[in-house]
Amino acid sequence: MISVRANFHTHNYRCGHAEGDVEDYVKEAIKEGYSEIGISDHSPLPKYHFDRMGMNELEGYLGEIREAQRKYNGKITIYKSLEIEYFEDLEDYYRELAQKLDYLLLGLHTYVVNGKLRDSWIINTDEDMINYALHMEKAMKSKLFQIAAHPDLYMSRRMTWSRAAEDAAHIICRAAAETGTVLEINANGIRKNLIYDKNPRRYMYPYKEFWEVAKQYNAGIIASSDCHEPESLNDEAMELARKFSEELGLKVIETIF
Ligand SMILES: [Zn+2]
Ligand SMILES: [Zn+2]
């Protein structure tokens, strides 16, 4: 068997909270023996304001990836992507992006309830968990996204699993299986834990009970670094993410291509 090592969730300086340019991550991936890397910085969005790369930086971003593809041709396969929020009224924009990219990474840091934007990092009630899950289900059903980043982000503030948490997990994992969206085990939740606590009782994400639900569905599962510094591409958090999936007996794919 040819061993593929890949990472499909990779940032760079353009988002304003990461270090390094595209080439720095590509070099790190080659150094770590990776055969594929997907560059997926936070996407600019029309109409909605988020603190990330501006629309005027998009061409430069894509140009830098193309340049790296030329320069490292034969050494590593590089894919073009963006991590992006889902808003129903932007579907034309996502379709336009899909023409320029190899895949789109759905990252819901925001969800929408009755037309109002809510912060996925501040989910405190059962109702919010379900609303987050329903928003993700709607996004997946658009079939515009190949991977759903940190689908268990809704648990980041919660210490205990509940009936609603379980229901939310089923909504998300069922939609992933039905739409062929790959679910991501995200090492950045582990990385954030390691800063404060070497042996946390639980990770911010991945959240064990969520992935036990995921196991019951026939959806693809991938582990990603979500690195915001080149040296984090294959760090201790990434090792722990692989260990997490092994211990739960999850079948993790290395590549989506
Ligand atoms: Zn980020
Ligand atoms: Zn990310």
Side-chain angles (χ1 to χ4, degrees):
M1 203 178 82
I2 311 157
S3 92
V4 177
R5 189 152 268 197
N7 184 56
F8 288 94
H9 192 159
T10 318
H11 292 280
N12 67 69
Y13 74 89
R14 283 184 179 79
C15 63
H17 59 267
E19 291 162 19
D21 58 20
V22 170
E23 187 174 6
D24 294 328
Y25 288 89
V26 169
K27 280 194 199 154
E28 180 73 12
I30 293 170
K31 190 183 111 207
E32 292 294 314
Y34 282 47
S35 47
E36 300 179 16
I37 185 167
I39 308 294
S40 60
D41 202 16
H42 296 283
S43 180
L45 291 172
K47 295 195 229 179
Y48 297 87
H49 180 76
F50 287 90
D51 202 10
R52 41 202 57 166
M53 91 168 84
M55 209 53 99
N56 56 352
E57 291 177 274
L58 184 58
E59 280 314 312
Y61 169 73
L62 296 174
E64 202 185 322
I65 301 176
R66 277 192 296 274
E67 183 54 38
Q69 285 171 328
R70 267 192 295 276
K71 191 162 170 185
Y72 296 96
N73 181 28
K75 292 201 173 70
I76 189 165
T77 305
I78 306 169
Y79 298 106
K80 293 196 227 59
S81 181
L82 286 164
E83 179 179 15
I84 197 159
E85 308 289 333
Y86 176 72
F87 299 111
E88 242 179 316
D89 57 344
L90 294 188
E91 289 209 357
D92 288 341
Y93 176 62
Y94 302 131
R95 276 190 206 95
E96 207 181 290
L97 284 179
Q99 304 292 315
K100 302 180 182 174
L101 303 170
D102 298 302
Y103 65 97
L104 265 176
L105 181 68
L106 176 69
L108 295 185
H109 307 92
T110 301
Y111 63 106
V112 181
V113 185
N114 299 328
K116 291 215 163 48
L117 270 56
R118 301 269 190 93
D119 189 340
S120 306
W121 295 104
I122 317 175
I123 290 182
N124 289 314
T125 66
D126 287 353
E127 202 190 340
D128 285 346
M129 285 195 282
I130 300 296
N131 283 328
Y132 167 91
L134 291 173
H135 188 72
M136 185 169 284
E137 178 187 44
K138 194 186 274 180
M140 286 180 182
K141 289 199 165 165
S142 73
K143 300 232 188 157
L144 290 158
F145 312 98
Q146 284 68 44
I147 306 175
H150 40 64
D152 44 352
L153 179 71
Y154 68 93
M155 289 302 294
S156 70
R157 284 197 161 205
R158 306 194 45 113
M159 293 309 285
T160 50
W161 192 244
S162 65
R163 180 60 208 262
E166 178 94 6
D167 290 346
H170 280 282
I171 292 169
I172 293 168
C173 297
R174 186 181 306 119
E178 283 174 10
T179 58
T181 314
V182 173
L183 296 168
E184 179 203 64
I185 294 173
N186 186 295
N188 206 27
I190 301 177
R191 196 170 291 124
K192 286 174 187 168
N193 274 116
L194 291 178
I195 298 168
Y196 309 107
D197 183 0
K198 282 276 162 196
N199 289 297
R201 215 152 38 93
R202 47 151 294 207
Y203 297 132
M204 210 166 174
Y205 49 87
Y207 201 95
K208 186 167 156 270
E209 285 83 353
F210 176 92
W211 293 97
E212 277 165 352
V213 172
K215 224 172 134 175
Q216 302 165 35
Y217 290 88
N218 192 23
I221 298 172
I222 201 162
S224 305
S225 175
D226 191 5
C227 41
H228 289 71
E229 310 86 34
E231 63 274 19
S232 302
L233 177 83
N234 195 25
D235 62 356
E236 186 188 1
M238 193 58 215
E239 277 307 313
L240 289 169
R242 291 192 188 101
K243 195 168 150 229
F244 174 89
S245 36
E246 264 164 43
E247 283 173 358
L248 282 182
L250 299 168
K251 280 198 241 37
V252 173
I253 56 171
E254 273 298 328
T255 179
I256 60 164
F257 293 104

